[in-house]
Amino acid sequence: MDQLAEVHILGPVEASVGGRPVGLRRPRTLQVLAALALSSGHAVPLERLIALVWDDDPPASARTQVSIHVSALRQAFERAGATSVIETTPVGYRLDDRLVRTDVDEAAHLLESAQAAAEPEQAVEQLRTALALWRGPVLAGTGSPGLRSAVQQWDEARLWAYEELYRHELDLGRGPEMVGALTRLVAENPLRERLRAHLMSALWQSGRRADALTCYQEGRQILVEELGVEPGRELRAAEQLILTAEPQTRHAAVVPAELPADLPSFTGREPQVKRLVHQLTSHDTSPVAAVAGLGGIGKSTLAVHVAHQAAATFPDGQLYIDLRGSTPGSRPLDPHEAQARMLRSLGVADGSIPKDVDEASGRLRSMTNGRRLLIVLDNAADTDQVRPLLTAGPTCRVLVTSRRVLAELPGATHEQLDVFSEAEGVRLMARLVEPEQLDLDAAGEVVRLCGLLPLAIALVAARLVARPSATLADLAARLRQEAGRLDTLRSGGTGLRASFELGYRELGPEHRRMFRLTGLLDGADLAVPVASALADLPSGRTAQLLEDLVDAQLLRATSPGRYVVHDLLRLYARERSEQEDPDRIAALRRALHCHLATARSAVAITQPLGTWRNELEPRTPVHAGVEPADRDEIHAWLDGERDNLLAVVQQAAAMPGDEGPQLTAALCAVYSVLLTARGRVGDAWTLGVIALDAADRTADPRHFAIAHEMIGYGHLQTGDLTAAPSHLQQSREAYRSIGNRSTEAAQVHMLAVVHHRLGRYDDAVRSYREAIALARGSGRERAIPLYLTGLGLTYRHLNRHDDEIRTHLEALEAATAGGVNRRATPILANLAEALRRAGRPDEAIARSREALELRADGAETYLDAEIWWGLGAAHHDRGAEPDAHECRRTSLRILTELGLIDTAERDAIETSDSPVTPEVIRRNL
């Protein structure tokens, strides 16, 4: 009977039958086996096999060669005792998953099980078992360019598994045990922000607050110097927690508390409150509760009240998000945008949020797994909007509100709200008005004329409280006269419209105009400076008018200086504006230009190389905007407007005539450079797509250049190396057509990075050289050391030692043109290693000592350990073994103190006759 065969590709490609190795040595044969294993159980078309093995340069005999390699595989497995392992299909070949077990299938199963695990300990066990399957570099020994995407995919899966493992370990309070392993991983992946945040938390749990903050500063320096971006949300949150909190035994997980304030005047709905609280807090109920009803009926108020009643049951936090499903003039929140907000609230950095909805759903399920979280999804449009936001674990509860009954929502129980009874409406009125104003008979009539809708009742009561001399009988008389104007709602719509009209007419002329204008913009909220631009009023007067509207219950203040217009009131405000404001387009233009001018001021402060973007049309905005004082103000402004920027750009695109695309492109041009520098690559990528549409309408090469740059850089940062080159090349060509050599150099440099990461080293050399040539004399000289370093390290991969030495010397000269500084340290370390590899140990020793002198006044880091190791290697090469031994000991001491190697590895290296380079250093050379 045939025995089960095993194929392992998470490391050197190997196969065995019954524990005995299958003799496979030829690289092409191993490549074919690896390609089949990656699709175990599924047929791999012949043309796909050829592409995986030879990439884009197959020989004429490729089809024949594949057949030969498959035959060799079959014979090798048969000799080992396994037959029929590879099947021939009508289109190609298939590895029979009934007879063959692959480590990639096993790893995928374990990672999926870890995501679904109910308890952290279960997830830890699954993740550790999965990670044990990696035996070294994925697909080592194959060397096929066509398989490189698979290598990247499984390398990313390994890092994700480590991130999830240490998240759970930290949640279990095991931070002190994790410091060494996390330090090694961060040294190997210095740009991986989530790993660094985990290391900071582990150090913090160990009582090493200063080391945790140093870890943050080192990460920030690397991100700024290598990528030109600030740390993302997760790293910043970890730093803030460490600065403000005391060490705890559990992981410093982000605990959101996002519920809006509960209304003290909440009235009625006792049966619904009781049912919903039970639904959310009991262990044997459905995890999803959906509340439906028409607009103004009190769905959101009920949901917030119930959530506050149940909040104590959810120690891991409460998330709240307005999905804008029924917000007039505003598109419903895209499911991916909602996922991104939820993930950010749970501590995920912007750059780590998947771009794909399905991947983001998986990440959301992973982040919520095993946590007691309450999630309120308010104002949903439909089931499709909600489904990607649901969690999978039994420990979370989701409360959804919508105007529709979401009958297809999986596993949900449904609560459909009706209008108030008259008694409930009168009770609400009694709680809102002054006792001396309460006339029960008149109150009943007012409540009926309000359509028994809670929102309308609350607005009418607010008008009455604002005018102590008025009576409910007066209000009833006025409502009878003005009923029937708001036809948006059918059930109770007449009373609701009368409520809005009554409140609006009792405002003074200036307040009426301010209220009308607040409904013109589509964003999530409204800040005083933008409202000031809408009204063309000083900011002080605008702020007072907005506060008055809050008192009149026509706006809601969410934070100092920021206001939200209720969706129905926004609709009413827009209708009034259409009837009363012939200059409403001019008001909207002022608000959009306020955004543009503010962003341009921010670019001038933070991105001097990007100020040319401020010269796009419109050259002179019709509103001067706000001029931020410094970077902190800019960051606060960007964070505050986060949920408005896309809406602003989309609203600009709808402006009439040629103005729309011109203004859209101008806004995208400045927003993108600011958001990228802030680490919000995903937002910048989205703006790039919008900007590309605008560029198609303007046909301006500057607009094309910026749009393709935004999209290409987004692809590069998220690891989509196949999609990035096309956009970067188009951006480069557009910049070249307008003579912008400086920014063209940046595009060519990014193309070089893509080539380098893909292993296309000859292409990388050409691109690096071109970027350097373009940068010289174009205003981008500061970037030349970075470009030269990339070129030198590419030469290293090509074993062109003399070229590498020359290039590092040029980088050193460029970096020290204004005097020696610490930026030269890594360049000197690279130069020393290049000299040693070229057989020039004396010069390598001198350069290593220069690097150490520059490092002498700072705390020892991994870079010091690497320099000392290289210095020891140079002494060894020149036969000075005692000196070499001392240098190695110093390097090993630093690595041990940093937790990058353990004492056993250190002792083994120190006592070896021919010391092996520590793995953490070997990977970085």
Side-chain angles (χ1 to χ4, degrees), residues 324 329-331 337 520-524 530 588-589 591-596 599 637-638 641-656 658-675 680 683-695 697 706-707 710:
R324 303 206 300 265
S330 181
R331 63 178 179 84
E337 292 180 55
L520 292 183
L521 283 173
D522 290 342
V530 179
L588 179 60
R589 181 181 294 111
L592 298 177
H593 281 232
C594 174
H595 275 277
L596 176 64
W637 168 71
L638 277 174
E641 295 292 340
R642 166 168 216 132
D643 295 333
N644 295 327
L645 297 187
L646 291 180
V648 165
V649 171
Q650 289 163 341
Q651 202 158 9
M655 292 290 282
D658 294 336
E659 180 179 10
Q662 292 279 2
L663 182 56
T664 302
L667 284 164
C668 289
V670 286
Y671 280 161
S672 63
V673 71
L674 294 170
L675 292 173
R680 287 160 52 181
D683 288 347
W685 182 88
T686 303
L687 288 176
V689 175
I690 297 172
L692 188 57
D693 180 68
R697 297 166 64 188
I706 294 167
M710 294 157 65

Side-chain angles (χ1 to χ4, degrees), residues 836 841 845 849 865 867-892 909-910 912-915:
R836 189 191 69 80
I845 290 169
R849 287 174 174 164
I867 296 170
W868 278 108
W869 189 267
L871 183 57
H875 279 304
H876 173 80
D877 290 351
R878 66 190 297 271
E881 192 55 37
D883 292 334
H885 180 70
E886 285 304 312
C887 292
R888 288 194 295 264
R889 285 191 62 185
T890 301
S891 177
L892 294 171
I909 294 173
E910 283 189 339
S912 173
D913 292 334
S914 53

Side-chain angles (χ1 to χ4, degrees), residues 42-47 49 63 74 87-94:
H42 301 279
V44 182
L46 183 57
E47 297 302 323
L49 269 176
R63 299 173 69 89
R74 286 171 171 161
E87 297 179 345
T88 301
T89 74
V91 296
Y93 300 95
R94 170 182 174 270

